[in-house]
Amino acid sequence: MNDVVLEVATLTKAFGGVNAISNLSFETRRGEILGVIGPNGSGKTTLFNVITGVLPASAGKVRFCGEAITGLSTDTISQRGLIRTFQSATVFKNETVYENIRRGSMFGCIGKPSWFFRPGVVANGKRTAKETVAELLEFSGLSDLATRIAGTLPYGKQKMLGVVIALARRPLQLLMDEPAAGLNPTETVAMGELVTQIRDKREIDVVLVEHDMKMVTAVCDRILALNYGKAIAIDIPERIVRHPEVIDAYLGVDHE
Amino acid sequence: MKFVWKYVVILALLAVAPFFVLPPFLTHIGVMIGIYTTLALSMNLMLRIGQISFAHGAFMGLGAYGSALMMMRLDLPFTVAFLAAALGVALLALLVGSLFLRIRGVYFVLLTFAFGEIIVLTFIEWVSLFGGSGGLPGVPPPSLFGYAIGSREGFYLLSLGLAAFAFALVRTIYGTELGAVITSLDEDEALTRSLGIDSRRYRLLTFCVSAFLAGMGGALYGHYLTLVTPEDYGFWVPVNLVMMNVIGGIAQPIGAVLGALLLVPLPELLRDAKQYQMLLYGIVLILFLLFMPDGMHGLFSKLKGHLARRELSR
Ligand SMILES: Nc1ncnc2c1ncn2[C@@H]1O[C@H](COP(=O)(O)OP(=O)(O)OP(=O)(O)O)[C@@H](O)[C@H]1O
Ligand SMILES: [Mg+2]
């Protein structure tokens, strides 16, 4: 089983007496796009927060590329190559699009102040950042907006930029929290294509939290359905959309 | 290179001023401006990470007492005492910072405020070391390369040198990747951390550098006044430093310089009307916060932009 990338084992996260994540286990495989669906408040964002060390787990383990990452700090987990994006547009609002992507690339090299003293780190980092920005501007189609201040962009472009910043960080696996939320239909289609390209062209694994079922079923290899922090099912899209419990808990009420 | 020359020329003009044009009283104000520029720059670093520190009065005081005591009690030369005091303050910041910096916002302000009060209380109560509320009189003058610097002009040069050092340091920090990290932490900490930045260590580093500058400013202040008293290092210090930054403009280090330039002369000029001083401070602060949130530097940039546009439209 050496093609397992992310391994979540009996994970629980309690807020007060309520379990936002409850005894959850699943794993992702190399080259896979795993979708995560579930009603509002079913614990999708919490799952990302616990995996990336933003919140401590109440119980259970997370392993990434074979190594335990439970209890590690967010920046350490990020250094391992597990990067997340945010549900709301999360960019450096006062900086240009260019600078946003540049920071995404640069910050990995200077995670701790002492790394400044490693020979060549800053110079190499800058060189890499320059190439990365140029390449990603092209890849994402944001080239024309490179000099714009990020906070002045339309919401959809800011969401796109949020993903590109994370890509600049060169993840092994990308955890995407509702990249299409707040996007118009055209932008949603473009985002879906971007997610596919991230896996196909950049060979980055993806875990995709998304409400837009058309996008999820089109893009994902398998889907994990959550309800009240518990897994109802994990399966290929065709079977998930017919799963009675999933229809009951989620699709029946929310699906168009 | 061009901008460096600009600063060299300004610095040279400022350095020779007291010997030709400045009357002694203005030279005195010049010394104070240099010291407060250093301190305001130190606060600017904290404002950059979005954590207003009320420990900076204590840091300044510890620099002053530390340098004075090391010269008086341990007979250390000025340069050693001065640097050791500032480094000691930075070390203390490292210790308390690893605890305090976990806390954010108003709670951090309160925490550092309490810390500052404790330190000032220690200055007052530990009479055998710090001399009680009467303070430490007879602080020896600095000496550099064997020359004692007792004259006002000598202090002016030292103070100018210190301010220039602080300005260059802060500007360099902001101009490099370190500055990008520090700004990012304030702009969006969650995003910055998810990109792999150890925010705790960067905040701690910023706090230590800031404390180091405050310690140096305080040390020079003590030697200049030749008297170190506890009440000089209370919570009005950080209040003043924040005001200087707000009035000068937080976004650029030059704002701290402008703020010191404007606010330091006020109490000296208003000596006969001390009771109005705080009132005036208050009014000035309110006006700036309401109408010029980017401070004087922001105003200058706007004016520049305005003039440039007028030029174009001609
Ligand atoms: N920091 C927190 N403190 C307390 N409760 C929290 C916290 N974060 C999330 N919760 C609770 O945990 C539950 C799961 O929330 P979460 O944000 O993970 O849901 P979600 O599946 O991402 O929902 P959405 O689709 O609306 O984004 C909710 O009941 C929420 O109120
Ligand atoms: Mg969510």
Side-chain angles (χ1 to χ4, degrees):
Chain A
M1 283 295 279
N2 58 2
D3 63 342
V4 171
V5 180
L6 181 70
E7 240 182 302
V8 171
T10 61
L11 195 69
T12 298
K13 175 67 196 178
F15 292 115
V18 186
N19 281 350
I21 305 277
S22 181
N23 202 25
L24 179 65
S25 301
F26 69 92
E27 55 194 37
T28 73
R29 299 171 194 148
R30 182 89 192 99
E32 179 177 55
I33 299 179
L34 177 75
V36 179
I37 59 170
N40 293 115
S42 57
K44 305 178 297 293
T45 299
T46 305
L47 175 63
F48 279 7
N49 281 335
V50 174
I51 292 176
T52 56
V54 173
L55 297 170
S58 305
K61 280 218 158 49
V62 181
R63 293 165 73 81
F64 182 63
C65 297
E67 285 174 54
I69 57 167
T70 348
L72 297 183
S73 63
T74 304
D75 53 289
T76 312
I77 293 171
S78 168
Q79 297 292 347
R80 301 266 174 105
L82 185 56
I83 317 287
R84 63 92 60 90
T85 68
F86 297 83
Q87 187 166 344
S88 57
T90 301
V91 298
F92 298 115
K93 290 205 169 18
N94 304 324
E95 313 295 333
T96 60
V97 168
Y98 186 99
E99 175 64 11
N100 266 276
I101 308 175
R102 202 193 66 83
R103 286 186 187 178
S105 172
M106 194 67 205
F107 282 179
C109 321
I110 50 175
K112 294 189 194 307
S114 57
W115 295 5
F116 274 92
F117 299 105
R118 294 180 179 175
V121 158
V122 175
N124 288 341
K126 280 187 175 166
R127 205 173 315 126
T128 317
K130 213 171 167 184
E131 292 163 14
T132 308
V133 176
E135 192 251 327
L136 279 174
L137 280 172
E138 175 87 43
F139 176 75
S140 62
L142 289 174
S143 297
D144 294 344
L145 303 173
T147 55
R148 285 276 297 274
I149 300 295
T152 68
L153 296 180
Y155 190 77
K157 297 291 180 200
Q158 289 193 33
K159 288 283 292 239
M160 180 73 87
L161 178 59
V163 174
V164 176
I165 297 171
L167 287 177
R169 183 61 192 75
R170 298 178 184 282
L172 297 173
Q173 185 170 44
L174 191 61
L175 309 178
M176 306 178 78
D177 197 352
E178 301 196 24
L183 268 54
N184 65 35
T186 332
E187 290 170 334
T188 304
V189 171
M191 184 60 81
E193 273 164 21
L194 185 75
V195 174
T196 316
Q197 287 194 357
I198 287 171
R199 193 263 315 269
D200 294 350
K201 294 224 177 110
R202 311 187 78 84
E203 300 185 335
I204 296 166
D205 293 349
V206 176
V207 179
L208 175 69
V209 165
E210 191 46 71
H211 280 296
D212 189 299
M213 279 311 285
K214 222 191 282 167
M215 173 171 166
V216 177
T217 47
V219 164
C220 298
D221 302 304
R222 288 190 307 153
I223 295 173
L224 165 69
L226 289 181
N227 196 22
Y228 295 113
K230 291 196 186 79
I232 323 178
I234 179 165
D235 213 330
I236 56 169
E238 292 74 19
R239 282 205 284 268
I240 282 288
V241 294
R242 293 200 176 74
H243 197 287
E245 262 186 273
V246 178
I247 293 171
D248 245 22
Y250 182 54
L251 300 179
V253 281
D254 205 24
H255 195 35
E256 81 272 39
Chain B
M1 256 351 247
K2 219 163 115 196
F3 87 91
V4 176
W5 278 114
K6 187 173 86 186
Y7 287 118
V8 169
V9 170
I10 292 175
L11 212 55
L13 285 177
L14 284 173
V16 295
F19 302 98
F20 295 105
V21 288
L22 286 188
F25 176 65
L26 284 185
T27 307
H28 160 70
I29 289 188
V31 177
M32 300 300 278
I33 289 176
I35 290 170
Y36 269 95
T37 295
T38 309
L39 291 159
L41 283 164
S42 133
M43 185 60 85
N44 190 268
L45 283 166
M46 296 309 293
L47 293 171
R48 272 297 170 104
I49 55 168
Q51 288 182 297
I52 295 180
S53 158
F54 266 56
H56 273 53
F59 289 155
M60 184 188 176
L62 286 165
Y65 277 103
S67 185
L69 282 171
M70 276 188 270
M71 278 185 85
M72 292 161 80
R73 297 277 175 95
L74 304 177
D75 280 331
L76 289 175
F78 166 73
T79 29
V80 177
F82 178 81
L83 283 178
L87 282 174
V89 173
L91 197 67
L92 180 69
L94 184 71
L95 291 177
V96 297
S98 42
L99 272 176
F100 290 0
L101 289 166
R102 292 162 205 259
I103 317 284
R104 295 289 151 73
V106 169
Y107 297 103
F108 179 77
V109 178
L110 286 177
L111 206 59
T112 48
F113 171 75
F115 170 80
E117 292 300 296
I118 289 169
I119 296 291
V120 170
L121 215 60
T122 313
F123 292 154
I124 297 172
E125 296 300 326
W126 193 344
V127 179
S128 61
L129 185 63
F130 297 115
S133 34
L136 282 181
V139 179
S143 58
L144 273 183
F145 315 113
Y147 293 100
I149 300 172
S151 71
R152 201 168 266 172
E153 286 73 21
F155 269 107
Y156 176 90
L157 289 180
L158 267 186
S159 172
L160 183 65
L162 181 61
F165 165 74
F167 185 70
L169 179 70
V170 173
R171 239 192 95 109
T172 307
I173 289 176
Y174 291 163
T176 57
E177 295 302 327
L178 194 53
V181 173
I182 289 174
T183 319
S184 299
L185 281 176
D186 189 31
E187 278 184 75
D188 198 315
E189 172 143 15
L191 175 59
T192 310
R193 293 182 59 177
S194 82
L195 292 173
I197 292 292
D198 185 341
S199 64
R200 203 180 57 81
R201 290 207 186 176
Y202 274 100
R203 283 182 189 278
L204 201 52
L205 174 71
T206 311
F207 194 48
C208 288
V209 174
S210 174
F212 180 70
L213 287 179
M216 291 212 287
L220 192 62
Y221 186 70
H223 288 290
Y224 180 56
L225 295 188
T226 70
L227 169 72
V228 186
T229 52
E231 78 248 25
D232 280 355
Y233 306 107
F235 82 105
W236 280 114
V237 173
V239 171
N240 274 328
L241 300 184
V242 171
M243 270 180 45
M244 286 172 188
N245 277 287
V246 169
I247 288 175
I250 295 176
Q252 297 288 334
I254 194 74
V257 182
L258 292 174
L261 214 55
L262 191 78
L263 277 198
V264 169
L266 273 188
E268 309 282 344
L269 297 175
L270 289 176
R271 269 211 185 129
D272 303 326
K274 246 199 161 116
Q275 65 274 32
Y276 297 122
Q277 192 183 314
M278 277 352 280
L279 182 68
L280 189 69
Y281 265 35
I283 292 172
V284 168
L285 189 62
I286 289 171
L287 288 179
F288 267 86
L289 285 176
L290 286 180
F291 301 113
M292 287 165 64
D294 297 328
M296 293 205 293
H297 177 261
L299 184 72
F300 289 154
S301 318
K302 258 189 226 147
L303 278 178
K304 249 196 208 160
H306 193 68
L307 290 179
R309 251 175 284 132
R310 281 244 312 250
E311 285 290 304
L312 281 179
S313 63
R314 257 184 208 163

